[in-house]
Amino acid sequence: GGMNVLFIVVDDLRPVLGCYGDKLVKSPNIDQLASQSVVFSNAYAQQAVCAPSRVSFLTGRRPDTTRLYDFYSYWRVHAGNYSTMPQYFKENGYVTLSVGKVFHPGVSSNYTDDYPYSWSIPPFHPSTEKYENDKTCRGKDGKLYANLVCPVDVSEMPSGTLPDIQSTEEAIRLLNVMKTHNRKFFLAVGYHKPHIPLRYPQEFLKLYPLENITLAPDPWVPEKLPSVAYNPWTDIRQRDDVQALNVSFPYGPLPDDFQRQIRQSYYAAVSYLDVQVGLLLNALDNVGLSNSTIVVFTADHGWSLGEHGEWAKYSNFDVATRVPLMFYVPGMTTSSVSQGERVFPYLDPFNHVSDLVSRGQRKNVVELVSLFSTLAELAGLQIPPVCPETSFHVALCTEGASIVRYLNGSDNMEEEKDECDDTYSCFNEEPVAFSQYPRPADTPQWNSDKPKLKDIRIMGYSMRTLDYRYTVWVQFNPNNFSANFEDVHAGELYMVQTDPNQDYNIFNNTSHGYFFKKLLG
């Protein structure tokens, strides 16, 4: 029969990983997965916030079709009764299993993580998840705080563990159960870190001496950044350690030394995550399923680490929308693996120097909305049909083209032109990734990062190609979900070649009829 699927989705992980060329971060286990995978260096989320992004890639529909831009509606009720990727696998004979944060919990997945539609058994949540935002961080004074920067002694934590450690243990248990019962599975594992608070076992700090930590290359707010585009990182300001700094709203910068501490803790949290991924993949070897399981590794969106004077996600910049994405497909991305051969031996980040090179880097611009059709095709299932122009009434269809064609070939951008069959309009043979972000006003407000639907007044539509990122901020009516492209409040245009960090907005000195037409599709 078809292959199993192990789908690993990480919360708030930008591609700061060895396999993405980061020289500082120690991520040997994810790098080892990359060395057996095809790795996409230009993969983008559809909205840089948890619930909308996850509902988008799990249904294969864009945010304007799920109508979820916040956390407060369930698409089956609010938009259309759309099938999800795990539901499709379940209907095709797979046991579908959810561990940790896969759907965003709460209203946006009906308080059940979309069980029983999507999953064969009730989703697993770590029992210690409820302490995530509690005062568990010991300050210099010995008291406990709810800090942003939060290295901890795990033995002192509630139940002596952390949520991601519990999720790894449960996922490993489920792999063993599936092996014992010889069942074909789709196992989704959602890791929390490096989502804030940056709470991780304190020994990981040793990997990142503070003197090695630099500031972002562009820690200032760009001169020509429209104020509507700026995200004022409100959730970070609410943490005890940040509150104590009394930073002015919205543009006041964090002190340099604290910026370094945030970056240091983000990297430490990534290495802690890498250990969890290493243990999970090592367990896949242990049960002898590495030769019959597709592994996908990605994140729901990125995270700003001081770039443009911003922190967190909530924007249309690459730092917020770009994600790691890799596919391990036995026999396709690797030569066939013989039964019992070890593909993923566990690597200790404290004494392992990573020198692994990934099998194939693909520069093609791709989107997370393509995951549904891509995984269906890789597993040998029928690819869901392309959605019609309006698809609220269509239960099974997808707005993301499968990217399996990029897994086969070499990274040859010239081949693009021949691969445009008529099913997908090929944007003049230029692949594009679309992202969007809502705002309540033209200037930064306390709710700019996470406006509720009723408060959205402006939508920033952004498209990324190999050469540029182009964004227009247009009037939006939340009552009928309509964007008015005649009413442009602001625009951004960045050329990737000359301005890789997106600091110099040339929207106002460029005629952009061409870009605008493409954005309207």
Side-chain angles (χ1 to χ4, degrees):
M3 299 234 186
N4 304 308
V5 178
L6 174 57
F7 179 68
I8 303 170
V9 56
V10 185
D11 215 343
D12 293 17
L13 177 65
R14 59 190 258 165
V16 286
L17 297 161
C19 53
Y20 278 87
D22 194 294
K23 300 279 187 278
L24 183 69
V25 172
K26 295 182 169 50
S27 53
N29 293 288
I30 298 168
D31 297 348
Q32 175 171 257
L33 172 64
S35 74
Q36 305 295 322
S37 302
V38 166
V39 176
F40 286 89
S41 54
N42 274 310
Y44 298 90
Q46 276 47 79
Q47 189 182 327
V49 70
C50 306
S53 173
R54 289 160 188 266
V55 167
S56 171
F57 68 68
L58 289 163
T59 61
R61 319 272 186 135
R62 299 182 185 280
D64 281 345
T65 307
T66 65
R67 293 186 160 172
L68 181 70
Y69 315 103
D70 60 15
F71 295 79
Y72 306 105
S73 65
Y74 179 41
W75 78 92
R76 292 183 193 272
V77 173
H78 175 79
N81 189 20
Y82 311 144
S83 297
T84 68
M85 171 166 54
Q87 178 181 358
Y88 190 60
F89 275 83
K90 185 179 166 203
E91 287 162 359
N92 280 281
Y94 282 72
V95 178
T96 56
L97 307 159
S98 173
V99 170
K101 184 173 173 183
V102 180
F103 278 102
H104 192 88
V107 187
S108 61
S109 56
N110 205 30
Y111 298 101
T112 61
D113 298 80
D114 198 46
Y115 173 79
Y117 298 99
S118 287
W119 311 107
S120 305
I121 62 173
F124 169 87
H125 284 277
S127 63
T128 62
E129 217 171 62
K130 57 179 171 292
Y131 308 113
E132 257 309 76
N133 296 307
D134 289 9
K135 295 183 186 265
T136 55
C137 322
R138 205 167 286 292
K140 295 225 170 19
D141 58 7
K143 294 197 182 99
L144 292 176
Y145 294 93
N147 286 343
L148 170 63
V149 171
C150 186
V152 297
D153 176 343
V154 178
S155 67
E156 291 178 0
M157 291 299 100
S159 307
T161 186
L162 291 170
D164 286 344
I165 296 173
Q166 289 184 294
S167 291
T168 302
E169 288 165 355
E170 176 65 9
I172 291 171
R173 188 187 75 78
L174 289 170
L175 285 176
N176 282 291
V177 172
M178 290 300 103
K179 173 67 174 180
T180 307
H181 293 278
N182 197 16
R183 296 296 302 272
K184 201 160 62 165
F185 63 83
F186 176 104
L187 169 59
V189 182
Y191 284 115
H192 282 278
K193 291 306 108 175
H195 192 287
I196 66 173
L198 298 169
R199 187 170 68 133
Y200 52 86
Q202 59 201 16
E203 57 271 23
F204 286 93
L205 272 176
K206 289 207 275 291
L207 295 172
Y208 302 102
L210 211 44
E211 60 269 20
N212 296 354
I213 308 294
T214 57
L215 298 179
D218 52 351
W220 62 86
V221 179
E223 192 188 333
K224 295 194 169 149
L225 180 69
S227 54
V228 68
Y230 182 79
N231 77 281
W233 37 282
T234 316
D235 54 353
I236 282 179
R237 297 170 191 273
Q238 286 157 3
R239 306 283 157 172
D240 292 349
D241 50 354
V242 181
Q243 245 172 357
L245 298 168
N246 262 331
V247 184
S248 68
F249 184 90
Y251 296 112
L254 288 168
D256 286 4
D257 61 332
F258 194 74
Q259 292 196 34
R260 284 195 180 84
Q261 282 177 40
I262 298 177
R263 289 169 68 93
Q264 174 192 40
S265 272
Y266 187 90
Y267 304 145
V270 170
S271 291
Y272 158 59
L273 162 77
D274 183 75
V275 165
Q276 303 311 311
V277 173
L279 294 169
L280 177 61
L281 293 173
N282 185 54
L284 194 66
D285 269 357
N286 288 344
V287 292
L289 293 173
S290 302
N291 63 333
S292 56
T293 304
I294 296 162
V295 181
V296 189
F297 178 90
T298 192
D300 56 355
H301 44 70
W303 214 75
S304 304
L305 284 166
E307 295 84 3
H308 315 115
E310 293 176 307
W311 300 89
K313 48 256 187 182
Y314 317 122
S315 81
N316 278 321
F317 282 117
D318 277 20
V319 279
T321 56
R322 184 171 167 242
V323 292
L325 177 63
M326 60 190 81
F327 294 87
Y328 162 80
V329 188
M332 181 191 260
T333 64
T334 63
S335 47
S336 53
V337 180
S338 52
Q339 185 72 40
E341 186 188 333
R342 296 205 79 81
V343 188
F344 305 118
Y346 173 74
L347 304 174
D348 180 352
F350 291 94
N351 59 26
H352 181 83
V353 180
S354 196
D355 47 5
L356 294 160
V357 183
S358 76
R359 274 297 150 101
Q361 286 271 355
R362 297 287 185 272
K363 292 194 188 69
N364 313 81
V365 172
V366 297
E367 310 177 278
L368 290 186
V369 75
S370 291
L371 279 170
F372 189 163
S373 42
T374 302
L375 279 174
E377 183 173 349
L378 287 174
L381 307 179
Q382 200 166 356
I383 306 176
V386 181
C387 289
E389 190 74 29
T390 49
S391 61
F392 295 108
H393 57 289
V394 186
L396 179 68
C397 69
T398 175
E399 296 179 318
S402 166
I403 58 173
V404 170
R405 62 185 187 281
Y406 299 146
L407 295 178
N408 295 321
S410 59
D411 185 7
N412 183 354
M413 305 306 264
E414 290 310 300
E415 290 169 12
E416 277 289 283
K417 298 195 174 37
D418 315 330
E419 305 198 359
C420 283
D421 48 29
D422 296 330
T423 20
Y424 299 103
S425 61
C426 276
F427 309 112
N428 324 337
E429 284 79 47
E430 183 177 35
V432 179
F434 293 102
S435 302
Q436 62 191 97
Y437 212 87
R439 293 281 187 240
D442 286 301
T443 54
Q445 311 294 316
W446 281 100
N447 63 340
S448 284
D449 292 350
K450 293 192 269 195
K452 292 187 168 154
L453 176 63
K454 65 175 175 46
D455 297 322
I456 297 172
R457 294 291 172 270
I458 301 163
M459 188 70 74
Y461 288 95
S462 189
M463 69 175 180
R464 176 68 153 78
T465 69
L466 265 184
D467 300 321
Y468 58 85
R469 178 175 284 288
Y470 173 73
T471 306
V472 286
W473 298 88
V474 302
Q475 190 258 329
F476 184 84
N477 180 344
N479 302 316
N480 61 4
F481 303 94
S482 67
N484 178 6
F485 285 89
E486 314 274 279
D487 183 1
V488 176
H489 289 229
E492 297 168 83
L493 176 61
Y494 306 100
M495 304 316 284
V496 172
Q497 199 67 52
T498 50
D499 180 21
N501 298 327
Q502 298 165 12
D503 294 321
Y504 303 99
N505 178 11
I506 59 167
F507 183 86
N508 285 345
N509 36 9
T510 315
S511 66
H512 22 79
Y514 165 77
F515 304 106
F516 196 63
K517 272 214 273 302
K518 277 187 70 136
L519 185 70
L520 295 174

